[in-house]
Structure formats: C-alpha cells, structure tokens
Amino acid sequence: MKAEAKSIRFLGQAPQKLTVPFFQREYVWKDENWSELLINLVKKKNKSFLGSIIIKDTMKTNPTESQIIDGQQRLTTITILIKAIYDTLYLEWDNLTKVDAKYINYDRSKEDGFGKNALRGILFYKINELDDERDRLVKIEHSRIDREAYETIIKEGFLTDRDITINIEKINLKNEGTSRIYRCYKYYREKLKEKSVDELFDLQNSILSENNKVLVLIALDVNDDNEQAIFDTINRAGVGLTIADIIKNNLFKKLIDMSVDEKEKEDVIKLYTENWEKVFYRIDNETQNIWEVKRIFGNQERTNLEFLLYCVAVVKWGTSNELFKELTNVYNQKTDSMTKDELIDLVKMINRYAILFKKYICDLKDNYKRDSSKSDTDIMFFNYKDYTNRLLLILEVLGVQMFYPYILKKIDEGGNLGDINKNDFLRIESYVVRRRLASKGTSEYADKCGTIINNGTAILENEMEAVDSGMTDLDIERLLLYPNEKFARLVLFIIELYLRRDGKQDVSSLNFIYTLEHIMPKKWEEKWSDIKIVKEDGSSYIEDGKIIGVKDDYGKKIRNEHINSFGNMTLLTFGLNASIKNGPFNIKINGDGKKKEGYRKHSDLRITKGVIGVYEENREWNEAEIEKRGHIIAKLIKEIWPIRIC
C-alpha cells in the first residue's frame, strides 16, 4: 500500500484506466455536494482537502488498469466540473468576450483550444501511444447504470465528429428521474456562466495545478488484502456509504475473491446484474428509486432497501436487540463462513424477497391512499378474503412493520392465499388488533416475529387468552372506549369488508378512502343538549337519588365517554360540512335540504345504514343507542379477530 498527497493531475498519470467495480453504487451526489466542491476549488488560498481516493491494481495489462475502491463520487464530480469549464469557455465564448474586452480577438482554435490537450490526458487514455486521437477511451469506466450519461458528457467535443451539442435546457435539475450525472453537468454549466473569462481560466488552472495537492491517493497492489479494512475506516470517518451499500459491496467482493478464473468472475457479474442491479437501481432514469425512500420502521428511520435486508437477516439468522444497528456487521460475520454457493443462494434470496417486498409492501403503501395524483379508480381495493393485503393494510396503517420478515417468508414459501398462510396471517391480525385495543406497545414485536418464524403462530393464541393479557374476549367491550381515531377508522373498514364477505352485496371490494365520523358530535352542547342521557335498558343514570343530566359534570363525563367510543363512530365517503357535522341528528342524516348533504348522500356502507335505520324508526341517537351499537361492534371484532383460529 502506498499513500501520497496528489493533485487532480494524477488522473493524467498511470494507471491509464480506472474502473468502477460493477457492484458499487450509482452516482448519488446532489446539489449540496456539487456546491461544496466548487466552493473549495474556487478558493485561491488554503484549499480544502477533498478526501481520499483508494485504487487497486487488477493485474490486467494493456492498458494498465486499476479499480476505484473508494472515491468514485468525487472523481466523477471533479471530471464533470473540468469538462463543464471547458464547455462553458467553448460554448459561451461569444457572450463572455462581450464583458471581457481584452479577449475579443481571442481565436478559439489557437492556444490549445482552452487547454484541450491537457484535458485529453486527464479525461482519456490511449491503449497504444501511436493510436490516433480519435481512438482514445474515457479514463473512468463507470458501471452500466451511469456509463452512458458520463461518457456522453466527457466525449462530446473531444472524440465525436461534432462540436459540443449537449442541450442543457432539457436537463431537469428537479426531476429525481433524471440522471444525476446530467444534473451535475447542468448545475456546473449554470454556475460557471456567472463567472468571467478570467475567473474561468483561473479556476481551470487552479484545478489542474500540480501544486494543489487536494487529494490523498491510496494505491493498493493486487496482493494487498487490506482494502476492506481501509475502506471501512474511511467510511466511518464520513464518506457516507449507506448500510445497504456496504452489505452489497462485501457480498460481491467475497464472491469475486472466491472466483478462480475469468469465467467465474463473469458469472458473478451476471449474478449481480440479474439479481441486484435490475431490482434495486433505477435503469430507466424515469422514476424515483423506491429503495432509497426512507420510512419509519419501529422507532428508526430506514430506507426500504435497508429494511428489506433486515427482513432477510431475521429469516436467515434470527432477531436480536441490536440487529438493526449492527446490520452491516451481522451480514459480514455471518457470510464469512459461507461457501460460494451459499453466498449465491443468499443473493438470490434477497432478490426474491425484494420482488415480494415491492409488490406487497411498497406498492400497497403507494396505492391504498387517496391523493391528488390518482382518481378513486386508481386506488387499491381490498376484499375481506384477501388475507395477505388485509393484514398488510392493518400493519401499514398502525405502523406495525416488524412482522414483515415472517410475512415475506410465508409468501416466498408458498403463495399468499393458501390455507396455512390464511390461519397464520389471521393469528397475527388478531394479535395486533387486540394488543392495540389493549393499548399495549410495539416494542416486543421484533422478538415476537423471530419467535413465530421458529415456532409458528399458535403461540400467539396462548398469549392472547391468558387471563392477565388484557386481550381476552371478556376484555373486548371495555376496550372500545377512547380508541385512536386512525385505529377506529381501520377497524370499522375491516368490519364493513366482513359484512360483505358472503358475496351477496353488489360490491365486495372497497377502497380505504372513508373518513371517520362521530355520530353524536364532539361539539354536542349546542345542538344535542336536549337529548337525555339514557342507559341501554332505558333507565337514567342516578347519583344520590338524583337523575344525572347532560349539564352536570358527571353527565358531561358520561356523554363524552360515549361520544369517543366505537359505538358512536361510523364511516363516510367524505367529511361533512361543519354545520352538518355538528348539527342535530335529523340534519346529519338528511343534510340541510339545500347544497349541504348528510349521511344519505355520502355512504352506502352497511355500518352507516344501520345508523340511518335508527333515525327512520324515529329513535333518538343517545347513549342507549351508542351502547347497543358498541355491543354489536364488540361481537363483530371477536368474530373477525378470534383468539383461536381453527
């Protein structure tokens, strides 16, 4: 290993060719990185250190070739900036000379065309010294994802038969689907147009000066086995690779190291292309990479890809309290003793789980909600008998995602609608819903997932029926007071699906687009204060021989408890106008007879029709009706989410 302070001109020296290993991440730098680099290079004194570059000899000759182990983001950005300076001088010359009169007679074809010869040596290489200039090759060979965009920018005006023709107007800096290579180039072109000719020449000369040693080049020979240790040390110092990047790099480096000849190495590259690159990287540059999207899993923010790798680790090696925090070490340690075939099987397992994760988890999250980007017909439908998506909806809405490893395992083993999966998934549903009713936390879910992977879901039944669990059938009715509104909306939606399960309804599949409605409004005192508090048996609440009224403190407490219970909640297609929402019972049902609509116009749900039925029978909506409806909902909850699954 050899470490030296270097200027950017080292690119013009041996090795002739630098390759980005096929398994390294795509180009990911953004505006803040581009800006920081430019600011550092513009400084005339005390230029900032730009970081370390690690390269390693690959044993190949003709040309001499090294791999970029670390630093491809910086090298890519620096070379794009160098090319952007040249292109700005070349393309903007007429405009620039108008404000720099001393250059008005400058001939672009003279004086080496703004340093074109010097740039050739930095950006390109020749296999043989006597080769024609047109036979030069781009010095940095990117992996397939970024290669086309990078080489298009670097070659234009040097190796092409035409002048620079890149249309930066068509490059959208804000579109995440546009290649970051192109966006970097446009960013610098726009920033450089603000500078004078002198400033551009000064910047170009400064970057290319041998005296500005702003990099540390760490060169490893082919027999040096310390690259991973060096790389990991630098990464901990702030290079910023993701957990997923480190795991992936370790996996495929091990596979390459185990390969005995070029054919086996080609097989590893093919494995990577088919099972990793095509799944996890944005090839078409049109859509945002879903695997980079961050979500809250448990109490930690992770990307979808990191959580997928967590799911695979749980299934392969079980759970631990520190698994999320130590995921890179877990993968590194567990794979150290694997054979090559076992590593290949692991990569293929990650691929299978990724396809399932996207289909069942990411796509559901993207499609179950109503938003401005899609019509109601584009929103995902749910059917009571679709046990997989029903369970996943519950877990998504409640933020209970630590059972995903088990669900992916079961789907991977045998499809999503088999009888075994049905019973297993129903047990998890019952467990999660009953725990939420009992206001129990989610901290135990990760360990519970590992337990049911090893021992099956039947153990959940034993826990639910324990007398002190708070989740028994006897506990259910007392648990229907004060539910979280998000939870109540979900439960009522599943109840509606259950009521349509026999296929006798015109519609058995529904969107999860309904709003939660309190039948007796929270603001009840103005329009509902004449409704007496009555128990389900028709009697009044008595205290010290006195009938409790709605204006008494105890009466208000009773009324508010009932208003915030399941029995007083239903679902509507859209939220009501405030005057209707807080109006008396007849107005809530029928609307105001003008433009403001009530329940009749907003829902054909069976759970809401029952409320309309109370009105049509000329009954008041009071505590007695709320209690009756609460018993019905409790009965349905016990039917839908039983403790014992036959």
Side-chain angles (χ1 to χ4, degrees):
M1 181 184 77
K2 184 178 181 181
E4 292 182 273
K6 290 283 187 178
S7 72
I8 293 168
R9 288 193 69 89
F10 93 89
L11 287 168
Q13 303 159 3
Q16 291 173 298
K17 179 182 179 182
L18 296 172
T19 62
V20 177
F22 67 90
F23 51 78
Q24 279 198 18
R25 61 179 171 176
E26 63 185 320
Y27 183 69
V28 297
W29 272 23
K30 297 181 179 180
D31 303 38
E32 57 267 28
N33 309 110
W34 305 330
S35 174
E36 183 180 2
L37 180 74
L38 183 59
I39 290 169
N40 285 336
L41 291 173
V42 165
K43 291 178 182 177
K44 293 188 176 181
K45 293 183 179 180
N46 301 319
K47 292 186 183 297
S48 299
F49 172 58
L50 299 183
S52 301
I53 308 294
I54 305 176
I55 63 174
K56 184 175 183 179
D57 186 11
T58 64
M59 278 197 305
K60 294 183 179 179
T61 57
N62 195 27
T64 302
E65 177 181 332
S66 290
Q67 285 190 339
I68 303 173
I69 303 303
D70 184 48
Q72 65 126 324
Q73 305 288 325
R74 282 186 296 279
L75 290 179
T76 299
T77 309
I78 290 167
T79 51
I80 291 174
L81 172 59
I82 290 171
K83 184 59 163 48
I85 295 171
Y86 174 85
D87 291 351
T88 302
L89 283 167
Y90 187 90
L91 291 171
E92 305 294 335
W93 182 256
D94 293 335
N95 292 328
L96 290 169
T97 53
K98 289 176 183 177
V99 294
D100 292 270
K102 63 184 177 180
Y103 294 103
I104 197 69
N105 296 316
Y106 186 92
D107 185 346
R108 275 187 286 199
S109 66
K110 294 180 179 179
E111 297 188 26
D112 191 22
F114 312 124
K116 192 170 187 177
N117 286 335
L119 294 183
R120 277 198 187 99
I122 289 174
L123 301 177
F124 305 93
Y125 71 92
K126 291 193 294 185
I127 295 177
N128 303 301
E129 279 302 316
L130 297 180
D131 287 346
D132 187 88
E133 291 300 320
R134 292 285 177 171
D135 294 328
R136 284 181 178 267
L137 300 170
V138 176
K139 177 173 283 285
I140 298 176
E141 182 179 276
H142 268 275
S143 57
R144 185 168 65 89
I145 297 171
D146 293 318
R147 187 178 302 166
E148 181 180 356
Y150 180 74
E151 293 194 356
T152 296
I153 289 169
I154 299 301
K155 286 180 177 180
E156 196 82 338
F158 277 82
L159 303 184
T160 55
D161 293 326
R162 60 184 183 274
D163 288 337
I164 302 158
T165 58
I166 299 170
N167 188 344
I168 64 171
E169 299 303 322
K170 291 185 177 181
I171 300 172
N172 189 339
L173 284 173
K174 301 298 182 182
N175 184 358
E176 281 294 324
T178 302
S179 166
R180 286 192 182 138
I181 296 280
Y182 281 123
R183 286 156 60 194
C184 174
Y185 176 75
K186 178 172 182 174
Y187 176 88
Y188 283 136
R189 285 288 307 281
E190 291 185 343
K191 292 295 182 183
L192 295 172
K193 283 169 65 175
E194 301 169 0
K195 297 186 178 298
S196 68
V197 174
D198 280 341
E199 288 174 325
L200 289 173
F201 275 130
D202 285 347
L203 177 58
Q204 186 184 56
N205 289 328
S206 175
I207 291 174
L208 300 180
S209 171
E210 187 65 48
N211 296 322
N212 289 327
K213 300 184 185 300
V214 291
L215 297 169
V216 169
L217 178 66
I218 301 173
L220 310 176
D221 65 40
V222 71
N223 297 314
D224 198 327
D225 295 326
N226 295 323
E227 62 184 270
Q228 194 60 49
I230 296 168
F231 176 82
D232 289 344
T233 300
I234 292 174
N235 185 65
R236 283 194 293 271
V239 170
L241 281 185
T242 66
I243 290 171
D245 286 326
I246 297 171
I247 290 171
K248 177 253 300 175
N249 290 356
N250 286 342
L251 268 177
F252 285 97
K253 183 183 181 301
K254 286 174 180 175
L255 283 166
I256 284 291
D257 290 345
M258 289 179 176
S259 300
V260 297
D261 54 34
E262 288 303 314
K263 183 183 180 305
E264 288 195 5
K265 289 181 180 179
E266 290 298 322
D267 288 341
V268 173
I269 294 173
K270 183 178 179 181
L271 177 78
Y272 171 79
T273 302
E274 295 297 322
N275 291 276
W276 200 285
E277 184 179 271
K278 287 184 178 180
V279 176
F280 298 122
Y281 293 141
R282 184 179 60 247
I283 303 299
D284 56 13
N285 288 325
E286 291 179 358
T287 55
Q288 184 180 14
N289 191 337
I290 63 164
W291 299 106
E292 296 174 358
V293 174
K294 291 185 177 181
R295 304 171 68 184
I296 300 297
F297 296 99
N299 60 357
Q300 300 182 55
E301 186 179 66
R302 299 289 184 184
T303 65
N304 281 325
L305 179 50
E306 289 167 353
F307 191 73
L308 166 70
L309 293 170
Y310 166 84
C311 290
V312 172
V314 170
V315 174
K316 287 285 291 182
W317 305 304
T319 59
S320 71
N321 291 335
E322 300 298 316
L323 182 57
F324 239 149
K325 295 180 181 178
E326 299 295 329
L327 199 58
T328 53
N329 290 336
V330 169
Y331 267 88
N332 201 30
Q333 292 168 9
K334 296 292 185 180
T335 55
D336 271 346
S337 59
M338 283 187 173
T339 66
K340 187 175 182 182
D341 286 342
E342 289 172 334
L343 288 173
I344 291 171
D345 288 342
L346 176 60
V347 171
K348 291 181 177 179
M349 178 182 176
I350 293 170
N351 173 272
R352 294 196 314 273
Y353 275 47
I355 293 169
L356 298 176
F357 191 97
K358 180 183 183 303
K359 177 180 178 181
Y360 288 98
I361 296 172
C362 296
D363 288 356
L364 181 143
K365 179 179 176 63
D366 291 339
N367 296 321
Y368 86 90
K369 293 180 181 179
R370 171 191 278 142
D371 63 45
S372 58
S373 67
K374 52 182 176 279
S375 65
D376 285 354
T377 56
D378 295 324
I379 302 171
M380 186 173 181
F381 283 86
F382 295 90
N383 183 291
Y384 183 78
K385 294 181 180 179
D386 184 351
Y387 305 104
T388 300
N389 281 331
R390 199 181 80 205
L391 170 59
L392 289 171
L393 176 68
I394 290 171
L395 298 182
E396 176 64 41
V397 173
L398 299 183
V400 177
Q401 300 167 74
M402 304 312 284
F403 285 109
Y404 286 167
Y406 178 82
I407 295 168
L408 293 174
K409 178 178 185 292
K410 297 300 290 186
I411 297 174
D412 181 55
E413 288 174 346
N416 66 321
L417 291 177
D419 288 340
I420 295 177
N421 282 4
K422 169 186 171 181
N423 291 339
D424 287 332
F425 289 1
L426 284 175
R427 288 189 186 99
I428 295 174
E429 264 197 52
S430 291
Y431 183 73
V432 170
V433 170
R434 285 176 179 252
R435 276 187 67 93
R436 183 55 61 95
L437 279 168
S439 299
K440 292 180 177 288
T442 61
S443 60
E444 299 176 10
Y445 284 157
D447 288 338
K448 194 65 65 179
C449 180
T451 301
I452 63 176
I453 285 174
N454 294 323
N455 303 298
T457 58
I459 62 169
L460 301 178
E461 297 177 340
N462 297 332
E463 184 174 335
M464 286 186 286
E465 69 181 0
V467 175
D468 60 349
S469 70
M471 296 185 280
T472 68
D473 284 349
L474 292 175
D475 293 315
I476 290 296
E477 297 211 23
R478 70 173 179 79
L479 296 174
L480 297 187
L481 296 176
Y482 299 110
N484 173 279
E485 293 190 5
K486 179 170 67 174
F487 177 55
R489 174 174 170 253
L490 175 68
V491 168
L492 292 174
F493 177 71
I494 303 297
I495 288 175
E496 182 67 28
L497 293 180
Y498 177 73
L499 296 175
R500 294 167 180 261
R501 73 193 183 285
D502 56 12
K504 295 179 181 179
Q505 305 294 312
D506 291 337
V507 177
S508 59
S509 298
L510 300 172
N511 306 121
F512 186 52
I513 58 175
Y514 303 98
T515 60
L516 187 71
E517 164 72 7
H518 289 77
I519 303 162
M520 183 182 289
K522 292 180 179 180
K523 297 180 179 180
W524 58 269
E525 295 191 52
E526 181 179 351
K527 303 291 185 181
W528 290 70
S529 59
D530 59 337
I531 304 298
K532 295 180 180 179
I533 302 175
V534 183
K535 293 182 180 180
E536 190 175 353
D537 61 6
S539 63
S540 299
Y541 285 86
I542 306 293
E543 187 177 67
D544 296 331
K546 175 187 174 184
I547 295 176
I548 300 299
V550 294
K551 295 183 179 180
D552 299 321
D553 289 342
Y554 183 47
K556 291 178 181 178
K557 179 176 181 295
I558 293 169
R559 174 142 293 180
N560 288 328
E561 283 181 348
H562 283 77
I563 283 174
N564 289 295
S565 71
F566 262 109
N568 190 52
M569 296 176 182
T570 193
L571 298 178
L572 298 176
T573 309
F574 289 97
L576 296 176
N577 175 276
S579 63
I580 306 297
K581 185 180 185 70
N582 296 314
F585 193 37
N586 66 315
I587 296 296
K588 298 198 76 166
I589 298 295
N590 299 311
D592 65 357
K594 299 175 183 177
K595 293 183 179 180
K596 298 173 184 176
E597 299 170 338
Y599 288 9
R600 292 189 191 275
K601 296 288 186 180
H602 279 275
S603 181
D604 62 353
L605 299 181
R606 291 188 62 177
I607 56 172
T608 304
K609 285 183 177 179
V611 178
I612 296 173
V614 172
Y615 171 78
E616 291 176 341
E617 293 175 11
N618 295 316
R619 304 198 320 255
E620 284 187 331
W621 189 261
N622 54 22
E623 282 71 15
E625 293 295 338
I626 292 172
E627 289 176 12
K628 289 177 187 177
R629 193 162 180 273
H631 294 320
I632 294 171
I633 290 174
K635 180 175 180 294
L636 289 168
I637 286 174
K638 287 182 279 190
E639 289 177 8
I640 296 169
W641 295 293
I643 290 177
R644 289 285 172 182
I645 308 295
C646 298

